[in-house]
Amino acid sequence: MPPNSPQASGLRTRIKALIPELGKFGLVGGFAFTVDFVLYNLLLRAGAETLTAKATSTVIATTIAFLGNRFWTWRDGDHTNMARQYTTFFVLNAIGLGIALACLGISHYGLGQIWPALRSPFADNISGVMIGTALGTLFRFWSYRRFVFRAAAAPVPAATPSPSSQ
């Protein structure tokens, strides 16, 4: 596709339109990530089991992310049924949590059997918090935008009778 083709121009326009949305999503996600990271490590130090600590920290961070995304990132989206939106958000986030838990479980319990260094809190943070959260975040952005915070449908203009039908 040549740089000045209509397709390239359309792609640039769509990417430019996504930048503010990605920025807000990133800020909300960054704050929720910080809550997740800090709470996860506090729970580990308090003696919680690895996967339980991650699940707990993620559920709390998810609530914060829902509120930030609902009332800031996609505040202009279609918000006709808050209960459906909240439920869909949490179901999709549970899939994102599953991605993070899978990364953590594979590293800690699977590969950790071969390389005991992968059972350390540092390795758990890399696999569960960094890698798992990054992969889960890619899934979350796509799914929230597509299924939870859809753009409000443009109103359909009322049909006016044509002069030939009068």
Side-chain angles (χ1 to χ4, degrees), residues 137-157:
T137 297
L138 291 173
F139 170 77
R140 287 178 182 107
F141 180 78
W142 171 80
S143 65
Y144 295 168
R145 191 169 193 271
R146 178 155 173 92
F147 300 111
V148 181
F149 303 113
R150 292 178 285 218
V156 178

Side-chain angles (χ1 to χ4, degrees), residues 4 13 23 32 35 44 63-64 69 73 85 94 106 118 128-129 132 146 154:
N4 295 327
T13 302
V35 169
L44 284 178
T63 302
I64 291 166
N69 284 314
T73 306
Q85 191 176 42
I106 289 168
L118 293 179
V129 178
R146 178 155 173 92

Side-chain angles (χ1 to χ4, degrees), residues 2-165:
N4 295 327
S5 72
Q7 290 122 347
S9 178
L11 180 61
R12 268 192 302 270
T13 302
R14 287 188 296 181
I15 290 171
K16 283 182 183 179
L18 272 178
I19 290 172
E21 187 178 341
L22 283 167
K24 290 177 181 180
F25 179 79
L27 287 171
V28 169
F31 181 72
F33 173 83
T34 300
V35 169
D36 183 25
F37 180 80
V38 169
L39 187 56
Y40 173 68
N41 283 287
L42 287 172
L43 291 169
L44 284 178
R45 287 182 186 226
E49 194 275 329
T50 301
L51 295 180
T52 302
K54 183 62 182 164
T56 302
S57 67
T58 300
V59 167
I60 292 169
T62 298
T63 302
I64 291 166
F66 175 79
L67 295 171
N69 284 314
R70 167 63 175 84
F71 293 107
W72 188 46
T73 306
W74 288 293
R75 71 174 170 255
D76 297 326
D78 185 15
H79 302 300
T80 56
N81 187 336
M82 183 80 145
R84 181 206 61 81
Q85 191 176 42
Y86 194 71
T87 302
T88 305
F89 184 90
F90 273 86
V91 166
L92 294 172
N93 201 66
I95 295 169
L97 171 60
I99 293 168
L101 291 176
C103 291
L104 178 59
I106 289 168
S107 173
H108 188 88
Y109 296 108
L111 298 174
Q113 297 295 327
I114 301 166
W115 298 291
L118 293 179
R119 299 188 90 165
S120 71
F122 178 74
D124 289 347
N125 276 295
I126 297 296
S127 62
V129 178
M130 303 299 259
I131 296 169
T133 300
L135 294 175
T137 297
L138 291 173
F139 170 77
R140 287 178 182 107
F141 180 78
W142 171 80
S143 65
Y144 295 168
R145 191 169 193 271
R146 178 155 173 92
F147 300 111
V148 181
F149 303 113
R150 292 178 285 218
V156 178
T160 57
S162 66
S164 62
S165 65

